[in-house]
Coordinates of all heavy atoms in Angstrom, one line a residue:
D573 N -21.1 18.3 40.3 CA -21.1 17.0 40.9 C -20.4 17.2 42.3 O -19.3 17.6 42.4 CB -20.3 16.0 40.1 CG -20.3 14.6 40.7 OD1 -21.0 14.4 41.7 OD2 -19.6 13.8 40.1
K574 N -21.1 16.7 43.4 CA -20.5 16.9 44.7 C -19.6 15.7 45.0 O -18.9 15.8 46.1 CB -21.7 16.9 45.7 CG -22.5 18.2 45.6 CD -23.4 18.4 46.7 CE -24.0 19.7 46.7 NZ -24.8 20.0 47.9
K575 N -19.5 14.7 44.2 CA -18.6 13.6 44.5 C -17.2 13.7 44.1 O -16.3 12.9 44.5 CB -19.2 12.3 43.9 CG -20.6 11.9 44.5 CD -21.1 10.7 43.9 CE -22.4 10.4 44.5 NZ -22.9 9.2 43.9
G576 N -16.9 14.7 43.2 CA -15.5 14.9 42.8 C -15.3 14.2 41.4 O -16.2 13.5 40.9
F577 N -14.1 14.4 40.9 CA -13.7 13.8 39.6 C -12.2 13.9 39.3 O -11.5 14.5 40.2 CB -14.5 14.6 38.5 CG -14.1 16.0 38.4 CD1 -13.1 16.5 37.5 CD2 -14.8 17.0 39.1 CE1 -12.8 17.8 37.5 CE2 -14.5 18.3 39.1 CZ -13.5 18.7 38.2
I578 N -11.8 13.3 38.3 CA -10.4 13.3 37.9 C -10.2 13.9 36.6 O -11.0 13.7 35.6 CB -9.8 11.8 37.8 CG1 -9.9 11.2 39.2 CG2 -8.4 11.8 37.3 CD1 -9.4 9.7 39.2
E579 N -9.2 14.8 36.4 CA -8.9 15.5 35.2 C -7.5 15.2 34.9 O -6.6 15.4 35.7 CB -9.2 17.0 35.4 CG -9.0 17.8 34.1 CD -10.1 17.7 33.1 OE1 -11.3 17.4 33.6 OE2 -9.9 17.8 31.9
C580 N -7.2 14.9 33.6 CA -5.9 14.6 33.2 C -5.5 15.4 32.0 O -6.4 15.8 31.2 CB -5.7 13.1 32.7 SG -6.0 11.9 34.1
M581 N -4.2 15.7 31.8 CA -3.7 16.5 30.7 C -2.3 15.9 30.3 O -1.6 15.5 31.2 CB -3.6 18.0 31.0 CG -2.6 18.3 32.1 SD -2.6 20.1 32.5 CE -0.9 20.3 32.3
G582 N -2.0 15.9 29.1 CA -0.7 15.5 28.6 C 0.2 16.7 28.3 O -0.3 17.8 28.0
Y583 N 1.5 16.5 28.3 CA 2.4 17.5 28.0 C 3.8 17.0 27.7 O 4.1 15.8 28.0 CB 2.6 18.5 29.2 CG 3.1 18.0 30.4 CD1 4.5 18.1 30.7 CD2 2.3 17.4 31.4 CE1 5.0 17.6 31.9 CE2 2.8 16.9 32.6 CZ 4.1 17.1 32.8 OH 4.7 16.5 34.0
R584 N 4.6 17.7 27.0 CA 6.0 17.3 26.7 C 7.0 18.1 27.5 O 6.7 19.3 27.7 CB 6.3 17.6 25.2 CG 5.6 16.7 24.3 CD 6.0 17.1 22.8 NE 5.2 16.3 21.9 CZ 5.7 15.1 21.3 NH1 6.8 14.7 21.7 NH2 4.9 14.5 20.5
K585 N 8.0 17.4 28.0 CA 9.0 18.1 28.7 C 10.4 17.3 28.5 O 10.4 16.1 28.7 CB 8.7 18.1 30.2 CG 9.7 18.8 31.1 CD 9.2 18.9 32.5 CE 10.2 19.6 33.4 NZ 9.8 19.7 34.8
G586 N 11.4 18.1 28.0 CA 12.6 17.4 27.8 C 12.6 16.3 26.8 O 13.3 15.3 26.9
G587 N 11.7 16.4 25.7 CA 11.6 15.4 24.7 C 10.8 14.2 25.1 O 10.7 13.2 24.4
R588 N 10.2 14.2 26.3 CA 9.4 13.1 26.8 C 8.0 13.5 27.0 O 7.7 14.7 27.1 CB 10.0 12.6 28.2 CG 11.3 12.1 28.1 CD 11.9 11.7 29.4 NE 13.3 11.2 29.3 CZ 13.7 10.1 29.8 NH1 12.9 9.3 30.5 NH2 15.0 9.8 29.6
I589 N 7.1 12.5 27.0 CA 5.7 12.8 27.0 C 5.2 12.3 28.4 O 5.5 11.2 28.8 CB 4.9 12.1 25.9 CG1 5.4 12.6 24.6 CG2 3.3 12.3 26.1 CD1 4.8 11.8 23.4
Y590 N 4.4 13.2 29.1 CA 3.9 12.9 30.4 C 2.4 13.1 30.4 O 1.8 13.9 29.6 CB 4.5 13.8 31.4 CG 6.0 13.6 31.6 CD1 6.8 14.4 30.8 CD2 6.5 12.7 32.5 CE1 8.2 14.3 31.0 CE2 7.9 12.6 32.7 CZ 8.7 13.4 31.9 OH 10.1 13.2 32.0
V591 N 1.7 12.4 31.3 CA 0.3 12.6 31.6 C 0.2 12.9 33.1 O 0.8 12.2 34.0 CB -0.6 11.4 31.3 CG1 -2.0 11.6 31.8 CG2 -0.5 11.1 29.8
K592 N -0.4 14.1 33.4 CA -0.6 14.5 34.8 C -2.1 14.5 35.1 O -2.9 15.1 34.4 CB -0.1 16.0 35.0 CG -0.2 16.4 36.4 CD 0.4 17.9 36.5 CE 1.8 17.8 36.7 NZ 2.4 19.2 37.2
C593 N -2.4 13.8 36.2 CA -3.9 13.7 36.6 C -4.1 14.3 37.9 O -3.3 14.2 38.8 CB -4.3 12.2 36.6 SG -4.3 11.4 35.0
Y594 N -5.2 15.1 38.1 CA -5.5 15.7 39.3 C -6.8 15.1 39.8 O -7.8 14.9 39.1 CB -5.9 17.2 39.0 CG -4.7 18.0 38.5 CD1 -4.5 18.1 37.1 CD2 -3.8 18.6 39.4 CE1 -3.4 18.8 36.7 CE2 -2.7 19.3 38.9 CZ -2.6 19.4 37.5 OH -1.5 20.2 37.1
T595 N -6.8 14.7 41.1 CA -8.1 14.2 41.7 C -8.7 15.4 42.4 O -8.2 15.9 43.4 CB -7.7 13.1 42.7 OG1 -7.0 12.0 42.0 CG2 -9.0 12.5 43.3
F596 N -9.9 15.8 42.0 CA -10.6 16.8 42.6 C -11.6 16.2 43.6 O -12.4 15.4 43.2 CB -11.4 17.6 41.5 CG -10.6 18.4 40.6 CD1 -9.9 17.8 39.5 CD2 -10.5 19.7 40.7 CE1 -9.2 18.6 38.6 CE2 -9.8 20.6 39.8 CZ -9.1 19.9 38.8
P597 N -11.6 16.7 44.8 CA -12.6 16.3 45.8 C -13.9 16.9 45.4 O -14.0 17.7 44.5 CB -12.0 16.8 47.1 CG -11.1 17.9 46.8 CD -10.6 17.6 45.4
G598 N -14.9 16.7 46.2 CA -16.2 17.2 46.0 C -16.2 18.8 46.1 O -15.3 19.4 46.6
R599 N -17.3 19.3 45.6 CA -17.4 20.8 45.5 C -17.2 21.5 46.9 O -16.5 22.5 47.0 CB -18.7 21.1 44.9 CG -18.8 22.6 44.5 CD -20.2 22.9 43.9 NE -20.7 21.8 43.0 CZ -21.8 21.6 42.6 NH1 -22.8 22.4 43.0 NH2 -22.1 20.6 41.7
D600 N -17.8 20.9 47.9 CA -17.8 21.5 49.3 C -16.3 21.5 49.8 O -15.9 22.5 50.3 CB -18.7 20.8 50.2 CG -20.1 20.9 49.9 OD1 -20.5 21.9 49.1 OD2 -20.9 20.1 50.3
E601 N -15.6 20.4 49.5 CA -14.2 20.3 50.0 C -13.3 21.3 49.2 O -12.5 22.0 49.8 CB -13.7 18.8 49.8 CG -12.3 18.6 50.1 CD -12.1 18.7 51.7 OE1 -13.1 18.6 52.4 OE2 -11.0 18.8 52.1
L602 N -13.6 21.4 47.9 CA -12.8 22.4 47.1 C -13.0 23.9 47.7 O -12.1 24.6 47.9 CB -13.2 22.4 45.7 CG -12.7 21.2 44.9 CD1 -13.3 21.2 43.5 CD2 -11.2 21.2 44.8
H603 N -14.2 24.2 48.0 CA -14.5 25.5 48.5 C -13.9 25.7 49.8 O -13.3 26.7 50.1 CB -16.0 25.7 48.6 CG -16.4 27.0 49.1 ND1 -16.2 28.2 48.3 CD2 -16.9 27.5 50.2 CE1 -16.6 29.2 49.0 NE2 -17.1 28.8 50.2
R604 N -13.9 24.7 50.7 CA -13.4 24.8 52.0 C -11.8 25.0 52.0 O -11.3 25.7 52.9 CB -13.8 23.6 52.9 CG -13.5 23.7 54.3 CD -14.1 22.7 55.2 NE -13.4 21.4 55.1 CZ -13.9 20.3 54.6 NH1 -15.2 20.3 54.1 NH2 -13.2 19.2 54.5
R605 N -11.2 24.4 51.0 CA -9.7 24.5 50.9 C -9.3 25.7 50.2 O -8.1 25.9 49.9 CB -9.2 23.2 50.2 CG -9.4 22.0 50.9 CD -8.7 20.8 50.3 NE -8.9 19.5 50.9 CZ -8.3 18.5 50.5 NH1 -7.5 18.5 49.4 NH2 -8.5 17.4 51.2
G606 N -10.2 26.5 49.7 CA -9.8 27.8 49.1 C -9.4 27.6 47.6 O -8.5 28.3 47.1
F607 N -9.9 26.6 46.9 CA -9.5 26.3 45.6 C -10.0 27.2 44.5 O -9.3 27.5 43.5 CB -10.0 24.8 45.2 CG -9.6 24.3 43.9 CD1 -8.3 23.9 43.6 CD2 -10.5 24.3 42.8 CE1 -7.9 23.5 42.3 CE2 -10.2 23.9 41.6 CZ -8.9 23.5 41.4
S608 N -11.2 27.8 44.7 CA -11.8 28.6 43.7 C -10.9 29.8 43.2 O -10.8 30.1 42.1 CB -13.2 29.1 44.2 OG -14.0 28.0 44.5
E609 N -10.4 30.5 44.2 CA -9.6 31.7 43.8 C -8.4 31.5 42.9 O -8.4 32.1 41.8 CB -9.1 32.5 45.1 CG -8.4 33.8 44.8 CD -7.9 34.4 46.0 OE1 -8.5 34.2 47.1 OE2 -7.0 35.3 45.8
P610 N -7.5 30.5 43.2 CA -6.4 30.3 42.2 C -6.9 29.7 40.9 O -6.4 30.0 39.9 CB -5.5 29.3 42.9 CG -6.2 28.8 44.2 CD -7.3 29.8 44.4
L611 N -8.0 28.9 40.9 CA -8.5 28.4 39.7 C -9.0 29.5 38.8 O -8.8 29.5 37.6 CB -9.7 27.3 39.9 CG -10.2 26.6 38.7 CD1 -9.1 25.9 38.0 CD2 -11.3 25.8 39.1
Y612 N -9.8 30.4 39.3 CA -10.3 31.6 38.5 C -9.1 32.4 38.0 O -9.2 32.9 36.8 CB -11.3 32.4 39.3 CG -12.6 31.7 39.5 CD1 -13.1 31.7 40.8 CD2 -13.3 31.1 38.5 CE1 -14.3 31.0 41.1 CE2 -14.5 30.5 38.8 CZ -15.0 30.4 40.0 OH -16.2 29.8 40.3
K613 N -8.1 32.6 38.8 CA -7.0 33.4 38.3 C -6.2 32.7 37.2 O -5.8 33.3 36.1 CB -6.0 33.6 39.5 CG -6.5 34.7 40.5 CD -5.5 34.9 41.6 CE -6.0 36.0 42.5 NZ -5.0 36.2 43.6
I614 N -6.1 31.3 37.3 CA -5.5 30.6 36.2 C -6.3 30.7 34.9 O -5.8 30.9 33.8 CB -5.3 29.1 36.6 CG1 -4.2 29.0 37.6 CG2 -5.1 28.2 35.4 CD1 -4.2 27.6 38.3
A615 N -7.6 30.6 35.0 CA -8.5 30.7 33.9 C -8.3 32.1 33.2 O -8.4 32.2 31.9 CB -9.9 30.5 34.3
D616 N -8.1 33.1 34.0 CA -7.9 34.5 33.4 C -6.5 34.6 32.7 O -6.4 35.4 31.7 CB -8.0 35.6 34.5 CG -9.4 35.8 35.0 OD1 -10.3 35.4 34.3 OD2 -9.5 36.3 36.1
I617 N -5.5 33.9 33.1 CA -4.2 34.0 32.6 C -4.1 33.2 31.3 O -3.5 33.7 30.3 CB -3.1 33.4 33.6 CG1 -3.0 34.4 34.8 CG2 -1.8 33.2 32.9 CD1 -2.1 33.8 35.9
V618 N -4.7 32.0 31.2 CA -4.5 31.2 30.1 C -5.3 31.8 28.9 O -6.5 32.2 29.0 CB -5.1 29.8 30.3 CG1 -5.1 28.9 29.1 CG2 -4.3 29.1 31.5
E619 N -4.6 31.9 27.8 CA -5.2 32.5 26.5 C -6.5 31.7 26.1 O -6.3 30.4 25.9 CB -4.2 32.6 25.4 CG -3.2 33.6 25.7 CD -2.2 33.7 24.5 OE1 -2.3 33.0 23.5 OE2 -1.3 34.5 24.6
K620 N -7.6 32.3 25.9 CA -8.8 31.7 25.6 C -8.6 30.9 24.2 O -8.1 31.5 23.3 CB -10.0 32.6 25.5 CG -10.2 33.4 26.7 CD -10.4 32.6 28.0 CE -10.7 33.4 29.2 NZ -9.7 33.4 30.2
G621 N -9.1 29.7 24.1 CA -9.0 29.0 22.8 C -7.7 28.3 22.5 O -7.7 27.2 21.9
S622 N -6.6 28.8 23.0 CA -5.3 28.3 22.7 C -4.8 27.4 23.8 O -4.0 26.5 23.6 CB -4.3 29.4 22.4 OG -3.9 30.0 23.6
G623 N -5.2 27.7 25.0 CA -4.7 26.9 26.2 C -3.3 27.2 26.5 O -2.7 26.6 27.4
L624 N -2.7 28.3 26.0 CA -1.3 28.7 26.2 C -1.3 29.8 27.3 O -2.1 30.6 27.4 CB -0.7 29.2 24.9 CG -0.6 28.2 23.8 CD1 -0.1 28.8 22.5 CD2 0.2 26.9 24.2
V625 N -0.1 29.8 28.0 CA 0.1 30.8 29.0 C 1.1 31.9 28.4 O 2.2 31.5 27.9 CB 0.8 30.2 30.3 CG1 1.1 31.3 31.2 CG2 -0.1 29.2 30.9
P626 N 0.6 33.1 28.3 CA 1.5 34.1 27.8 C 2.8 34.3 28.6 O 2.8 34.1 29.9 CB 0.7 35.5 27.9 CG -0.7 35.0 28.0 CD -0.7 33.7 28.7
E627 N 3.9 34.5 28.0 CA 5.2 34.5 28.6 C 5.3 35.5 29.8 O 5.9 35.2 30.8 CB 6.3 35.0 27.6 CG 7.7 34.8 28.1 CD 8.2 33.4 28.5 OE1 7.7 32.5 27.8 OE2 8.9 33.2 29.5
E628 N 4.6 36.6 29.7 CA 4.6 37.6 30.8 C 3.9 37.1 32.1 O 4.0 37.7 33.1 CB 4.1 39.0 30.4 CG 2.7 39.0 30.0 CD 2.4 38.7 28.4 OE1 3.3 38.2 27.8 OE2 1.3 39.1 28.0
H629 N 3.1 36.1 31.9 CA 2.4 35.5 33.1 C 2.9 34.2 33.5 O 2.3 33.5 34.4 CB 0.9 35.4 32.8 CG 0.2 36.8 32.5 ND1 0.0 37.7 33.6 CD2 -0.2 37.4 31.4 CE1 -0.6 38.8 33.0 NE2 -0.7 38.6 31.8
A630 N 4.0 33.7 33.0 CA 4.5 32.4 33.2 C 4.8 32.2 34.7 O 4.4 31.1 35.3 CB 5.7 32.1 32.4
Q631 N 5.4 33.1 35.4 CA 5.8 32.9 36.8 C 4.5 32.9 37.7 O 4.4 32.0 38.6 CB 6.7 34.0 37.2 CG 7.2 33.8 38.7 CD 8.0 32.5 38.9 OE1 8.6 32.0 38.1 NE2 7.8 31.9 40.1
E632 N 3.6 33.8 37.4 CA 2.3 33.9 38.2 C 1.6 32.5 38.0 O 1.1 31.9 38.9 CB 1.5 35.0 37.7 CG 0.2 35.1 38.5 CD -0.7 36.3 38.0 OE1 -0.4 36.8 36.9 OE2 -1.7 36.5 38.7
Y633 N 1.5 32.0 36.8 CA 0.9 30.8 36.5 C 1.5 29.6 37.3 O 0.8 28.8 37.9 CB 0.9 30.5 35.0 CG 0.3 29.2 34.6 CD1 -1.1 29.1 34.4 CD2 1.1 28.0 34.4 CE1 -1.7 27.8 34.1 CE2 0.5 26.8 34.0 CZ -0.8 26.8 33.8 OH -1.4 25.5 33.5
K634 N 2.8 29.6 37.3 CA 3.5 28.5 38.0 C 3.2 28.5 39.4 O 3.0 27.5 40.1 CB 5.1 28.7 37.8 CG 5.9 27.7 38.4 CD 7.4 27.9 38.1 CE 8.2 26.9 38.9 NZ 9.7 27.1 38.6
E635 N 3.2 29.8 40.1 CA 2.9 29.9 41.5 C 1.5 29.4 41.8 O 1.2 28.8 42.8 CB 3.2 31.3 41.9 CG 4.6 31.7 41.9 CD 4.9 33.1 42.1 OE1 4.0 33.9 42.3 OE2 6.1 33.5 42.0
L636 N 0.6 29.8 40.9 CA -0.9 29.4 41.1 C -1.0 27.9 41.0 O -1.7 27.3 41.8 CB -1.7 30.1 40.1 CG -2.0 31.6 40.4 CD1 -2.6 32.3 39.1 CD2 -2.8 31.8 41.6
M637 N -0.4 27.3 40.0 CA -0.4 25.9 39.8 C 0.2 25.1 41.1 O -0.3 24.1 41.5 CB 0.3 25.4 38.6 CG -0.5 25.7 37.4 SD -2.2 25.0 37.3 CE -1.8 23.2 37.3
Q638 N 1.2 25.7 41.7 CA 1.8 25.1 42.9 C 0.7 25.1 44.0 O 0.6 24.1 44.8 CB 3.1 25.8 43.3 CG 4.2 25.5 42.4 CD 5.4 26.3 42.7 OE1 5.3 27.4 43.3 NE2 6.6 25.9 42.3
K639 N 0.0 26.2 44.1 CA -1.1 26.3 45.1 C -2.2 25.2 44.9 O -2.6 24.6 45.7 CB -1.7 27.6 45.2 CG -0.8 28.7 45.8 CD -1.5 30.1 45.8 CE -0.7 31.1 46.3 NZ -1.3 32.5 46.3
V640 N -2.6 25.1 43.6 CA -3.5 24.2 43.2 C -3.1 22.8 43.5 O -3.9 21.9 44.1 CB -3.9 24.3 41.7 CG1 -4.7 23.1 41.2 CG2 -4.7 25.6 41.5
E641 N -1.9 22.4 43.2 CA -1.3 21.0 43.4 C -1.2 20.7 44.9 O -1.2 19.6 45.3 CB -0.1 20.9 42.6 CG -0.4 20.9 41.2 CD 0.9 20.6 40.3 OE1 2.0 20.4 40.8 OE2 0.7 20.6 39.1
E642 N -1.1 21.8 45.7 CA -1.1 21.5 47.2 C -2.5 21.1 47.7 O -2.6 20.4 48.7 CB -0.7 22.8 48.0 CG 0.8 23.1 47.8 CD 1.2 24.4 48.4 OE1 0.3 25.1 49.0 OE2 2.4 24.9 48.2
I643 N -3.5 21.5 47.0 CA -4.9 21.2 47.4 C -5.3 19.9 46.9 O -6.1 19.2 47.5 CB -5.8 22.4 46.9 CG1 -5.5 23.7 47.6 CG2 -7.3 22.0 47.1 CD1 -6.1 24.9 47.0
L644 N -4.9 19.5 45.6 CA -5.4 18.4 45.0 C -4.3 17.2 45.0 O -3.2 17.5 45.2 CB -5.6 18.7 43.5 CG -6.6 19.8 43.2 CD1 -6.6 20.0 41.7 CD2 -7.9 19.6 43.8
R645 N -4.8 16.0 44.9 CA -3.9 14.9 44.7 C -3.4 14.9 43.3 O -4.2 15.1 42.4 CB -4.6 13.6 45.0 CG -4.8 13.3 46.4 CD -5.2 11.9 46.6 NE -5.9 11.7 47.9 CZ -6.8 10.9 48.1 NH1 -7.3 10.1 47.2 NH2 -7.3 10.7 49.4
V646 N -2.1 14.8 43.1 CA -1.6 14.8 41.7 C -0.7 13.6 41.4 O 0.0 13.1 42.2 CB -0.7 16.1 41.5 CG1 -0.1 16.1 40.1 CG2 -1.4 17.3 41.9
C647 N -0.9 13.0 40.2 CA -0.2 11.9 39.8 C 0.4 12.2 38.4 O -0.3 12.6 37.5 CB -1.1 10.6 39.8 SG -0.2 9.2 39.1
V648 N 1.8 11.9 38.2 CA 2.4 12.2 36.9 C 2.9 10.8 36.4 O 3.6 10.2 37.2 CB 3.5 13.2 37.0 CG1 4.2 13.4 35.7 CG2 2.9 14.5 37.5
V649 N 2.6 10.5 35.2 CA 3.1 9.3 34.6 C 3.8 9.6 33.3 O 3.3 10.4 32.5 CB 2.0 8.3 34.3 CG1 2.4 7.0 33.6 CG2 1.2 8.0 35.6
E650 N 5.0 9.0 33.0 CA 5.7 9.2 31.8 C 5.2 8.2 30.9 O 5.0 7.0 31.2 CB 7.2 9.0 32.0 CG 8.0 9.1 30.7 CD 9.5 8.9 30.8 OE1 9.9 8.8 31.9 OE2 10.2 8.9 29.7
V651 N 4.9 8.6 29.6 CA 4.3 7.7 28.5 C 5.5 7.3 27.7 O 6.3 8.1 27.3 CB 3.4 8.4 27.7 CG1 2.9 7.6 26.6 CG2 2.2 9.0 28.5
K652 N 5.7 6.0 27.7 CA 6.9 5.4 26.9 C 6.5 4.9 25.6 O 5.4 4.4 25.3 CB 7.6 4.3 27.7 CG 8.2 4.9 28.9 CD 9.1 3.9 29.6 CE 9.7 4.6 30.8 NZ 11.0 4.3 31.2

């Protein structure tokens, strides 16, 4: 889809529940901003089927996610 989309995920941190949503621009904009490379690296790090990041790759994953979040609009909401 060239128009873009929103993807959300939930997680727990410090005993609280949060939802983080990413606004993805259209495909052409993602490519122009260099989004593909970090996304493919993240996909290689995350364990297939489990969605978990192996401990030995935690720092690399964190750095890649920071790059991704610089490219995308991000909104985090605490669920009460």
Side-chain angles (χ1 to χ4, degrees):
D573 181 8
K574 291 189 174 191
K575 294 182 181 180
F577 60 95
I578 296 175
E579 183 73 32
C580 297
M581 61 180 236
Y583 63 96
R584 290 182 185 266
K585 183 176 180 181
R588 297 177 182 230
I589 299 173
Y590 298 90
V591 175
K592 182 181 275 192
C593 295
Y594 299 90
T595 302
F596 290 80
R599 195 179 316 163
D600 294 339
E601 181 71 13
L602 287 174
H603 182 69
R604 192 169 74 246
R605 291 185 184 185
F607 180 76
S608 298
E609 184 180 340
L611 184 61
Y612 289 129
K613 286 181 181 179
I614 288 169
D616 286 341
I617 290 172
V618 175
E619 290 182 0
K620 306 302 183 253
S622 72
L624 300 174
V625 177
E627 186 65 33
E628 65 269 17
H629 295 290
Q631 184 61 35
E632 181 183 10
Y633 177 82
K634 181 179 177 181
E635 291 168 3
L636 287 167
M637 285 303 295
Q638 287 172 339
K639 286 181 184 178
V640 167
E641 290 181 1
E642 289 172 3
I643 296 169
L644 306 177
R645 286 192 195 147
V646 180
C647 175
V648 178
V649 178
E650 181 181 354
V651 178
K652 295 191 178 212

